[in-house]
């Protein structure tokens, strides 16, 4: 379903690399978190939520290294919706001009819907959506 999926791409540059010349794992996780946030944003359209924040990165598995000059294409899919939370599967596919696309990393990220209270503070909120309703 369209509002449960988001795509995001990032070009790997030299300043994204670790000391062995491959993509720094923390950078990969940061980009995956952005992809998850984009999927949550789409899912939460039409609700009282202003967006979603990361509650947990439940699982990350680095499968293939990525080097400078390659593109990483992220697909984030909402796979579960609770009352306030969303569970999002994120897959990172590395793309090189020299080889076939490959799964570089996968993660399971939990996000929580938030809105502003009367004082302007962000608080968690019920989004009242389910995967069946969209």
């Amino acid at each position: 379903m369209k509002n449960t999926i988001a795509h995001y791409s990032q070009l790997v540059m030299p300043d994204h690399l670790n000391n062995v010349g491959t993509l720094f794992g923390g950078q990969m996780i940061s980009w995956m978190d952005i992809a998850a946030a984009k999927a949550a944003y789409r899912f939460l359209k039409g609700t009282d939520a202003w967006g979603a924040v990361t509650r947990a990165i439940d699982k990350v598995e680095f499968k293939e290294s990525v080097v400078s000059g390659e593109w990483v294409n992220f697909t984030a899919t909402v796979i579960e919706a609770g009352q306030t939370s969303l569970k999002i599967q994120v897959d990172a596919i590395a793309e090189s001009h020299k080889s076939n696309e490959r799964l570089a990393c996968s993660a399971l990220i939990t996000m929580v819907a938030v809105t502003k209270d009367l004082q302007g503070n962000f608080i968690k909120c019920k989004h009242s959506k389910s995967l069946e309703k969209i």
Side-chain angles (χ1 to χ4, degrees), residues 15-83:
D15 61 332
H16 298 137
L17 304 181
N18 59 27
N19 64 325
V20 297
T22 60
L23 179 62
F24 175 59
Q27 183 64 68
M28 175 70 86
I29 292 170
S30 174
W31 291 339
M32 295 181 97
D33 198 32
I34 292 169
K38 186 175 181 182
Y41 175 83
R42 286 191 173 159
F43 180 85
L44 294 169
K45 279 186 180 180
T47 71
D48 291 335
W50 282 50
V53 296
T54 306
R55 170 72 172 102
I57 298 177
D58 301 303
K59 179 181 177 184
V60 177
E61 187 173 347
F62 296 96
K63 297 178 178 284
E64 297 280 338
S65 60
V66 182
V67 298
S68 183
E70 293 187 312
W71 282 93
V72 183
N73 303 304
F74 301 91
T75 300
T77 306
V78 178
I79 59 171
E80 188 179 314
Q83 291 186 10

Side-chain angles (χ1 to χ4, degrees), residues 4-9 31-32 34-36 38-39 42 72-79 88-94 101 103 105-109:
T4 64
I5 297 174
H7 299 282
Y8 168 71
S9 295
W31 291 339
M32 295 181 97
I34 292 169
K38 186 175 181 182
R42 286 191 173 159
V72 183
N73 303 304
F74 301 91
T75 300
T77 306
V78 178
I79 59 171
I88 302 168
Q89 173 68 43
V90 183
D91 292 322
I93 307 295
E101 292 180 352
L103 180 62
C105 190
S106 63
L108 191 57
I109 298 174

